């Protein structure tokens, strides 16, 4: 594993300088540093980066978005200044790579060996795509909208642009945004500048970066990133099919791994939890397991205090006050449940692509 800093502006006095936990250097793919996941809104310079082909550098003055397709009666091209002049919405959105947690699966599927940190929550501002669709006069024959990024490269022996489609209803949802700002700043190149798509509640493969095209089509799109990758295949316990909504998930952010905890003293266990598709969380539970003869003895689940979310697509903080009475190694485990009753499973839900890993979260500590 190599490391290099995320390109960012020079920090002001007292500002935190984040060191990304890099998975690959070229193209650049980095996880969010563990310490940054304690923040309600993930700082831009710490936010995870997923890059398939390299980062296009598009000056805002040269950016154009072409709206067209077979089901479009009035195609047109939009520039950056015109987009900025349109009505904007602002939302907190959890962005999670579909392969987040792949490195926990056994056997490990091919692909980036992410831990649990290819995720972040940001405050996005952008224009609802439906406003552009109305201007383009997308007709009733449309079934999907295909979104195209400026990045392209070799995939399985052929060259392909990064393209991903959405069902028409999802594309026209008022919260599907053409984003121009992240945490109050113009988008950075590694996060899709000058314009990216953000589809709240879906895995980040839907959030096409460096957006340059959108076309309404009359039959389902079958591009490489739609039908050959980002599919659940050979799944164990879940149906095969395309990667869509984010699965309910939690993380333990404090204490840090291998922390020494004092016996008989209260320790605050904290973390983050989220779900997909706008489904609210119902609960987060915590369990302390102690190791005895190389086995983890289970204790019962205890309800954590769940904080209000940062919005319908944001995440929630949670906390649990734990006072250990027995010395030795422990594993602190968290699991979240959403309003539909979906709960994190005890083991990674394996599939051939390594997608949708939402197993219970755990941190190992030592009580002294």
């Amino acid at each position: 594993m190599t490391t290099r800093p995320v390109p960012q502006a020079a920090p002001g006095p007292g500002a935190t300088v984040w060191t990304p936990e890099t998975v690959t250097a070229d193209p650049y793919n980095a996880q969010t540093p563990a310490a940054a996941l304690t923040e309600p809104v993930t700082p831009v310079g710490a936010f995870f980066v997923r890059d398939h082909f390299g980062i296009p550098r598009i000056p805002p003055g040269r950016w154009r978005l072409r709206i067209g397709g077979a089901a479009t009666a009035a195609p047109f091209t939009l520039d950056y200044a015109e987009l900025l002049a349109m009505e904007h919405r602002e939302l907190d959105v959890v962005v999670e790579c579909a392969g987040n947690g792949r490195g926990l699966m056994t056997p490990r599927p091919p692909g980036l060996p992410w831990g649990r940190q290819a995720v972040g929550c940001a405050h996005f501002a952008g224009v609802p795509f439906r406003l552009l669709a109305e201007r383009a006069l997308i007709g009733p024959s449309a079934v999907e909208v295909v979104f195209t990024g400026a990045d392209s490269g070799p995939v399985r022996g052929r060259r392909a642009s990064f393209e991903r489609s959405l069902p028409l209803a999802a594309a026209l949802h008022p919260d599907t945004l053409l984003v121009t700002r992240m945490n109050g700043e113009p988008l950075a190149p590694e996060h899709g500048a000058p314009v990216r798509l953000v589809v709240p509640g879906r895995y980040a493969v839907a959030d096409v970066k460096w957006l340059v095209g959108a076309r309404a089509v009359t039959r389902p799109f079958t591009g490489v990133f739609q039908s050959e990758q980002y599919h659940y295949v050979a799944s164990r316990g879940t149906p095969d099919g395309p990667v869509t909504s984010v699965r309910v998930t939690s993380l333990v952010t404090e204490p840090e791994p291998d922390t020494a905890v004092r016996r008989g003293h209260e320790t605050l266990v904290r973390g983050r939890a989220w779900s997909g598709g706008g489904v609210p969380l119902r609960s987060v539970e915590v369990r302390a397991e102690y190791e005895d003869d190389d086995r983890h003895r289970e204790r019962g689940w205890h309800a954590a205090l769940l904080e209000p979310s940062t919005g319908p697509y944001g995440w929630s903080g949670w906390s649990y006050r734990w006072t250990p009475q027995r010395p030795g190694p422990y594993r602190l485990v968290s699991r979240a449940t959403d309003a539909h009753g979906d709960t994190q499973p005890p083991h990674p839900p394996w599939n051939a692509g390594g997608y949708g890993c939402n197993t219970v979260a755990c941190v190992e500590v030592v009580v002294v």
Side-chain angles (χ1 to χ4, degrees), residues 7-319:
Q8 56 186 296
T16 300
V17 178
W18 301 101
T19 301
E21 299 183 17
T22 309
V23 176
T24 64
D26 188 18
Y28 180 42
N29 295 282
Q31 298 185 106
T32 302
L37 294 172
T38 64
E39 302 283 345
V41 174
T42 311
V44 172
F47 209 95
F48 87 97
V49 176
R50 176 67 175 104
D51 173 19
H52 286 85
F53 302 122
I55 299 174
R57 306 281 173 168
I58 308 171
R62 297 181 60 183
W63 177 83
R64 301 291 185 273
L65 177 67
R66 173 69 177 171
I67 312 291
T72 301
F76 67 96
T77 299
L78 187 78
D79 66 26
Y80 190 68
E82 291 175 294
L83 185 68
L84 290 183
M86 297 181 68
E87 173 190 337
H88 276 58
R89 287 176 61 81
E90 298 188 15
L91 295 168
D92 283 1
V93 180
V94 171
V95 178
E96 181 180 8
C97 182
N100 193 26
R102 178 184 289 120
L104 305 179
M105 295 183 175
T106 303
R108 198 186 80 196
L112 291 176
W114 294 124
R116 297 295 296 270
Q117 296 159 222
V119 65
C121 182
H123 186 75
F124 292 106
V127 175
F129 175 73
R130 68 185 300 173
L131 299 181
L132 303 181
E134 291 169 358
R135 177 177 165 183
L137 301 179
I138 292 178
S141 62
V143 295
E144 294 180 347
V145 178
V146 180
F147 295 91
T148 303
D151 53 329
S152 64
V155 184
R156 298 182 179 179
R158 62 189 187 275
R159 190 171 187 86
S161 295
F162 189 88
E163 294 185 301
R164 183 79 177 181
S165 72
L166 288 175
L168 188 63
L172 299 184
H173 192 283
D175 294 334
T176 296
L177 303 180
L178 273 59
V179 163
T180 59
R181 300 183 71 83
M182 179 177 180
N183 293 357
E185 307 171 10
L187 280 177
E190 64 270 20
H191 296 304
V195 180
R196 72 175 294 173
L197 189 69
V198 169
V199 189
R202 291 190 173 229
Y203 280 114
V205 63
D207 302 339
V208 177
K209 294 187 286 189
W210 312 293
L211 188 68
V212 293
R215 63 186 189 274
V217 296
T218 58
R219 62 183 65 183
F221 177 60
T222 58
V224 62
F225 294 105
Q226 193 76 29
S227 60
E228 298 180 38
Q229 297 187 21
Y230 295 98
H231 261 240
Y232 295 117
V233 177
S235 299
R236 298 176 187 170
T238 57
D240 285 1
V243 167
T244 55
S245 294
V246 170
R247 293 173 170 175
V248 61
T249 308
S250 68
L251 283 177
V252 180
T253 59
E254 298 176 61
E256 296 180 358
D258 303 320
T259 295
V261 176
R262 295 180 64 187
R263 180 177 61 168
H265 288 255
E266 184 178 87
T267 296
L268 186 63
V269 184
R270 300 176 62 192
R272 299 278 164 204
W274 63 94
S275 189
V279 180
L281 294 169
R282 176 187 295 172
S283 65
V284 173
E285 299 167 290
V286 178
R287 182 167 70 194
E289 303 174 354
Y290 66 88
E291 189 174 313
D292 184 10
D293 297 328
D294 297 324
R295 296 178 59 190
H296 281 90
R297 306 293 183 177
E298 299 180 356
R299 297 292 190 184
W301 291 102
H302 302 275
L305 177 63
L306 188 61
E307 301 170 5
S309 73
T310 57
Y313 310 111
W315 57 19
S316 295
W318 59 263
S319 60

